[in-house]
Amino acid sequence: FILGKLGKESTSTSTASPADGGNAAAAGDGEGSVAGTTATGGDMAGDFVSSERFADNFWSPDERCISVLMHKLKSAKQTCSDVQQLVATRAGAEEELGKRLAKLARAALGSEEVGGLRSALRTMRAELETNARAHSELARQLRGEIERPLAAFMADQRDKRRAQTTVIQKIEAERNSLRSQLRKLQDKRRSDTKKVGDLDLQVNGLQGVADPKLRAKLDRVQRQQRETEDEYRGAKARLRDVDRQWFNSWRSACDVFQRLEEQRIEYLKTALWTYTNLVSSSCVADDESMERLRQDLERVSVADDIAEFIHTFGTGAPDPDLADGAADGDADADADADGDAASHRHSTVSDDAAPPGQPVQQQQQAPTHVQRASTSASVSAIPAPDHAAYANRSATPSNAYASVSTGGGGTARSA
C-alpha cells in the first residue's frame, strides 16, 4: 500500500505542470491509495467461499453501508475475544483441577488395608495421579493450540481491517469536505450572479450615461463571478474523481472484509473443533482410568480379604480349657431357662382350667408366683360370676361394677 502510494505520487509529480503541481500531487495521492487498496483487495478476494458478495449488496447514498459493515466487523472481533476468553478460562480450570487431583493422589488412602481392597485403593491413587497429569496436559494444549494461535489470528485480522478502514475513512472525509466546499461555492455563485445582475441594471439601465465607478465595480464583480464559477467547476470535478475513488476503494474494501469474515468463520470452526477433540480425549482418558479401577474392584473378594487378614494378623486359637468351661456354663444356663419356661407354661394351664362357678374368694388361694407372672392379665383372667350364688341379693344395676382391680395381696375385688 505504501509503496504503491509513493510510486504513484512520484509519477504524478514528475508529469504535472508547475501550475497544476498541487492538484496533480493531490490526485496522485488519491489514485495511489486506490491502487494500493485494489492490489491488496485483489490478493484477498481471489476466490470467495460464498456465491454472494459484500461488494454487490452494501451500497447506499449515505454512510449507512459503512456503519453496517463496521458493526459486523466489530461484533466479529468481539466473538473472537469471547472464544479466546472461554478457552483461557477453561484452561485455567483444567490446570487447577490437575493440581487438586495431584494433591488428592498424595493423600493417605487405605494404608492399613489388605488383599484386593488394598490393591484397588492403590490403583485409585495411581489413576488420580494419571488424571491429574491428563488435565494439566489438557490445559497446556488449550493454551498452545487454541488460545495463543487465536490471539495471533485476531492481531492479523485487526491489521488488515485497520488498513482498509483507514483508507475508507480518509476518502470519506475528503468526499465530505468537497461536498461542503461545493455547497459553499454554490451559495457564493448565486450571490455573485445576483450582484452582477444588480450592477448591470444600474450601469446599463434607464439612468442614461453609466458612472465609471459603477462600471469598474461591475467589472470587478464579474471577474469574481468567473473565479467562483471556475472554482465551483474545479471542486465539482474533484468530487467526481473522489467519488470514483470511493467507489473503487469501497468495492475493494468490501471484498477484503468478506475474505476476512470467511477466514474468521473457518478459523473459529477449526478452533472449536480442536477444542472438542482435546476435551473429548481428556474424557476418554478419564474413562480408561475408571475402567482400570473397575477391573481391580471386580477382583476384590470379601472372603479372600477376611481370610488374608486372619492369616496375616491372627493371634492364635482359643484355650481349650476355657472353651470347655464356657460351653458347660452355656449348657447350665440353657437348662435353667428351659425350667423357667416349663413352670410358666404349667401356671398358665392351671389358671385356664379353673371351673367357671368357682367363687372369687377361692381364687385367692392361687400361688403367689402365678399371680405375679401376669399382672396385666389378672383382670381378664377372673371367671364370670355364678348368677345362682347371688340370687338372694338385691338386683344390681348393669353398671354396678365400677372397677375391678387387684389388691395389695393379689385378691380380685369387685364393687
Side-chain angles (χ1 to χ4, degrees):
F1 170 73
I2 295 175
L3 292 176
K5 178 179 177 181
L6 292 177
K8 196 67 176 179
E9 283 181 352
S10 301
T11 304
S12 301
T13 304
S14 61
T15 56
S17 63
D20 299 332
N23 295 334
D29 188 2
E31 293 175 0
S33 301
V34 174
T37 305
T38 306
T40 305
D43 295 338
M44 291 291 295
D47 294 326
F48 292 101
V49 176
S50 174
S51 59
E52 302 287 341
R53 292 185 60 182
F54 285 2
D56 296 333
N57 295 278
F58 288 97
W59 298 91
S60 62
D62 52 7
E63 298 181 1
R64 184 171 177 271
C65 57
I66 301 177
S67 62
V68 170
L69 278 186
M70 292 298 107
H71 179 74
K72 174 60 178 175
L73 296 175
K74 183 178 179 180
S75 63
K77 175 186 174 183
Q78 184 62 41
T79 300
C80 291
S81 299
D82 293 341
V83 172
Q84 183 187 23
Q85 182 63 32
L86 183 146
V87 174
T89 304
R90 178 61 186 266
E94 292 292 338
E95 184 178 14
E96 181 65 22
L97 179 58
K99 292 179 180 179
R100 288 177 177 268
L101 290 176
K103 185 177 180 180
L104 283 177
R106 293 190 296 269
L109 187 65
S111 58
E112 300 295 332
E113 295 294 337
V114 296
L117 183 59
R118 179 185 180 89
S119 176
L121 292 174
R122 286 182 177 179
T123 302
M124 185 174 184
R125 289 185 60 185
E127 296 306 330
L128 280 173
E129 187 175 356
T130 302
N131 292 341
R133 289 195 300 267
H135 286 283
S136 299
E137 178 65 16
L138 176 59
R140 186 190 66 78
Q141 290 176 334
L142 289 175
R143 291 192 175 102
E145 298 183 24
I146 299 180
E147 182 183 357
R148 285 191 288 270
L150 180 57
F153 175 78
M154 291 170 60
D156 179 67
Q157 288 237 321
R158 181 180 63 247
D159 295 339
K160 294 176 181 178
R161 185 173 59 249
R162 283 180 177 176
Q164 296 300 318
T165 54
T166 300
V167 173
I168 294 301
Q169 290 173 356
K170 181 178 179 181
I171 297 179
E172 184 64 22
E174 186 177 1
R175 287 180 73 198
N176 293 333
S177 176
L178 286 174
R179 287 172 179 174
S180 176
Q181 182 181 359
L182 198 63
R183 286 193 296 269
K184 292 179 180 179
L185 289 174
Q186 193 170 5
D187 293 340
K188 186 178 180 182
R189 181 187 175 199
R190 284 195 294 265
S191 176
D192 291 344
T193 302
K194 186 174 182 301
K195 288 181 180 179
V196 169
D198 293 340
L199 289 174
D200 184 70
L201 183 61
Q202 293 179 11
V203 171
N204 300 320
L206 300 176
Q207 290 85 353
V209 180
D211 187 354
K213 293 182 178 180
L214 289 176
R215 174 65 63 178
K217 185 175 181 181
L218 176 61
D219 294 339
R220 187 173 63 253
V221 171
Q222 287 177 341
R223 191 167 51 252
Q224 183 178 355
Q225 182 186 21
R226 287 191 295 271
E227 291 175 357
T228 301
E229 186 69 19
D230 293 340
E231 189 175 358
Y232 174 79
R233 290 177 180 176
K236 193 173 183 179
R238 288 197 302 274
L239 181 59
R240 284 196 299 268
D241 294 338
V242 172
D243 285 340
R244 286 194 294 269
Q245 294 176 17
W246 155 255
F247 178 86
N248 295 329
S249 298
W250 178 243
R251 190 173 186 84
S252 176
C254 286
D255 290 339
V256 174
F257 293 157
Q258 182 170 353
R259 173 58 64 189
L260 290 175
E261 186 64 10
E262 290 179 353
Q263 291 176 353
R264 181 189 70 89
I265 294 173
E266 183 64 28
Y267 188 91
L268 286 181
K269 174 185 175 181
T270 304
L272 294 177
W273 199 286
T274 303
Y275 169 86
T276 304
N277 291 337
L278 291 176
V279 175
S280 176
S281 300
S282 177
C283 294
V284 170
D286 288 345
D287 186 67
E288 290 175 351
S289 295
M290 295 304 102
E291 182 61 28
R292 288 190 290 269
L293 180 57
R294 281 192 289 267
Q295 292 175 0
D296 273 6
L297 290 174
E298 288 175 353
R299 289 191 288 269
V300 174
S301 172
V302 177
D304 293 344
D305 284 8
I306 293 296
E308 183 174 348
F309 174 75
I310 291 174
H311 295 160
T312 304
F313 299 101
T315 58
D319 189 351
D321 296 337
L322 295 177
D324 292 341
D328 294 341
D330 292 341
D332 294 341
D334 292 340
D336 293 340
D338 293 340
D340 292 341
S343 300
H344 182 268
R345 287 195 299 271
H346 177 70
S347 62
T348 303
V349 171
S350 300
D351 291 342
D352 293 340
Q358 183 179 0
V360 179
Q361 288 81 3
Q362 294 181 6
Q363 295 181 15
Q364 296 178 1
Q365 304 301 324
T368 304
H369 69 276
V370 176
Q371 295 182 1
R372 292 197 190 99
S374 181
T375 305
S376 61
S378 60
V379 175
S380 60
I382 298 175
D386 189 0
H387 294 283
Y390 294 90
N392 297 328
R393 296 187 180 182
S394 60
T396 306
S398 59
N399 59 353
Y401 294 98
S403 64
V404 178
S405 61
T406 56
T411 302
R413 303 283 185 180
S414 60

